[in-house]
């Protein structure tokens, strides 16, 4: 584990509990100490990521786009939108390439609001390093496979991790670690969950059970706007 890994994985609340010797739940002193440690840690983390040329909270849109391009992605969609609620003109960006798809929306023009990067990845060997991942799961199991069934070496080698990361903080570091330990699949073996929405979409979302279909329709529509090679890369659809 290098120094940046240590900074990114540091847990301020655990450090506060170690300092006070008390559990954080309901303990005022531990909570206050945790807030102080977290504030200092956030400053250190931002400085470390800036020095590494990586994404961090409050990064400019231009710098964030440059990082995605350094990771081998190119612009696939630029979709302007207007927020009636906040009165801002913002943009949904989608970048793709090399088995990666990233989406982010801006806020107030030059701030990155939310950002995610999606991928299907296979390790070089059979070793599983869980700290490489944040969200997702292993896929590619044999038909009729049940949890707990033992896999043959060939079946195990066919598995891949379908996952995604919050890209606002340390995205180049996260993707770099995955590249060191395995390979991103291009094309993806099967369509995956993709969130291709922006914060302005929430203003027209139904408040009942129809919201799932509403957001799903938007994601499918935006996938159809992407270049044919990007649609092919992500398996031709949205789960």
């Amino acid at each position: 584990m290098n120094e940046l890994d240590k900074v990114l994985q540091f847990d301020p609340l655990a450090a506060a509990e170690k300092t006070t010797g008390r559990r954080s739940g309901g303990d005022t002193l531990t909570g206050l100490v945790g807030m102080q440690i977290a504030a200092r840690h956030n400053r250190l983390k931002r400085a470390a990521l800036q020095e590494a040329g990586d994404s961090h909270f409050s990064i400019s849109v231009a710098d964030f786009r440059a990082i995605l391009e350094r990771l081998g992605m190119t612009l696939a969609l630029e979709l302007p939108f207007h927020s009636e609620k906040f009165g801002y003109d913002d943009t949904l960006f989608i970048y793709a390439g090399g088995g990666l798809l990233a989406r982010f929306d801006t806020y107030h023009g030059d701030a990155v609001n939310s950002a995610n990067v999606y991928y299907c990845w296979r390790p070089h060997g059979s070793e599983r390093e869980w700290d490489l991942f944040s969200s997702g799961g292993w896929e590619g199991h044999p038909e009729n496979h049940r949890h707990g069934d033992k896999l043959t070496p060939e079946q195990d080698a066919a598995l891949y991790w379908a996952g995604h990361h919050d890209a606002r903080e340390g995205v180049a570091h996260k993707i770099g670690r995955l590249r060191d330990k395995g390979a991103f699949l291009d094309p993806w073996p099967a369509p995956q969950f993709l969130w291709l929405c922006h914060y302005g979409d929430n203003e027209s979302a139904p408040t009942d059970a129809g919201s799932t279909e509403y957001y799903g329709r938007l994601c499918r529509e935006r996938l159809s706007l992407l270049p044919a090679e990007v649609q092919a890369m992500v398996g031709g659809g949205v789960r």
Side-chain angles (χ1 to χ4, degrees), residues 94-151:
I94 298 177
Y95 277 73
L100 299 169
L101 184 142
R103 50 74 55 206
F104 74 96
D105 56 347
T106 66
Y107 182 73
H108 207 181
D110 196 42
V112 175
N113 180 50
S114 64
N116 305 89
V117 59
Y118 299 88
Y119 56 86
C120 290
W121 173 89
R122 182 172 286 141
H124 290 317
S126 59
E127 188 174 345
R128 307 289 190 251
E129 298 188 32
W130 291 100
D131 64 338
L132 293 172
F133 314 126
S134 57
S135 299
W138 290 105
E139 299 195 3
H141 293 89
E143 188 175 356
N144 300 321
H145 173 81
R146 294 176 299 178
H147 181 71
D149 287 352
K150 186 174 179 58
L151 298 176

Side-chain angles (χ1 to χ4, degrees), residues 190-210:
Q192 302 298 327
F193 168 80
L194 292 173
W195 181 256
L196 304 180
C197 296
H198 54 71
Y199 77 85
D201 293 326
N202 300 333
E203 298 173 10
S204 301
T207 57
D208 56 17

Side-chain angles (χ1 to χ4, degrees), residues 50-81:
Q50 286 178 317
E51 183 178 355
D54 210 340
S55 61
H56 55 84
F57 290 118
S58 77
I59 191 173
S60 72
V61 170
D63 286 347
F64 189 73
R65 295 179 68 177
I67 290 171
L68 298 182
E69 291 169 1
R70 290 203 305 271
L71 290 172
M73 289 177 271
T74 57
L75 181 64
L77 181 66
E78 184 173 344
L79 186 68
F81 65 92

Side-chain angles (χ1 to χ4, degrees), residues 4 41 43 59 70 97 115-116 121 131 136 138-139 152 156-157 160 227-228 234 238:
L4 187 53
H41 174 245
R43 292 192 296 270
I59 191 173
R70 290 203 305 271
N116 305 89
W121 173 89
D131 64 338
W138 290 105
E139 299 195 3
T152 67
D156 185 73
Y160 61 91
V234 300
V238 177

